[in-house]
Amino acid sequence: MKKLNLDKVQEFTPFEKVEAGGYICGIYAVEDVPEKEYLKISYDIVEGEKKGFYSKLKKEKGWELPKFIASYKETALPFFKGTITSVEKSNKGFKFDSDETKLVGKKIGLVLFEKERINNKGKKVVDMRVDKAHSVDAIKSGDFEIPEREVIADVVETKSASPFGSKAKVETKAEVNFFEESAGETPFDTTDDTDFPF
């Protein structure tokens, strides 16, 4: 094998993980996707013992900050309003005024939960997803609920009227989630590399 210089290589050590729960977060970037009628919101934890957790992983591993999607389709407007109200309550004097750029640099309370998925290697992995937005005060007072892990159901054999026999399909317990994060094989998606005084 080729000669390796391992003197300056840092040995791999497992990193800490964020557990399901409520966190006070900061909004680092917002992207409007008008053709799909949603905002893609990048965030990191900005208070507590996990402060800067995702920014640290971005620096150390090259991963990007996580994002969640807030849909403003007609059917999702009640959920969207809940997100905006949470930001307004968390930032004294702030008014949204349908200007997504004003969200950048603001605090928000987010409840995170675990969701299973199959990655591109066919392996079951667990991601942390945003369930719901709350005010910072609600997170501090513990006024929120943490959903149970969203699991992938077992493969189910289904009978077919076809002469070729039965077919297997994978069923999941996934429900419509207006805060569903964007998919990606890295744990987090892209965002601008901007500093904020959270």
Side-chain angles (χ1 to χ4, degrees), residues 21 52 68 92 97 121 138 147 154 198:
F68 69 93
K92 190 175 180 180
D97 295 328
K121 295 179 182 177
D154 295 331
F198 289 115

Side-chain angles (χ1 to χ4, degrees), residues 65-95:
L65 293 177
K67 296 183 177 184
F68 69 93
I69 288 172
S71 173
Y72 53 84
K73 289 181 179 177
E74 193 70 32
T75 55
L77 284 179
F79 297 93
F80 186 80
K81 182 176 180 180
T83 300
I84 298 305
T85 300
S86 297
V87 178
E88 291 179 339
K89 286 182 177 179
S90 301
N91 299 272
K92 190 175 180 180
F94 172 68
K95 286 297 289 179

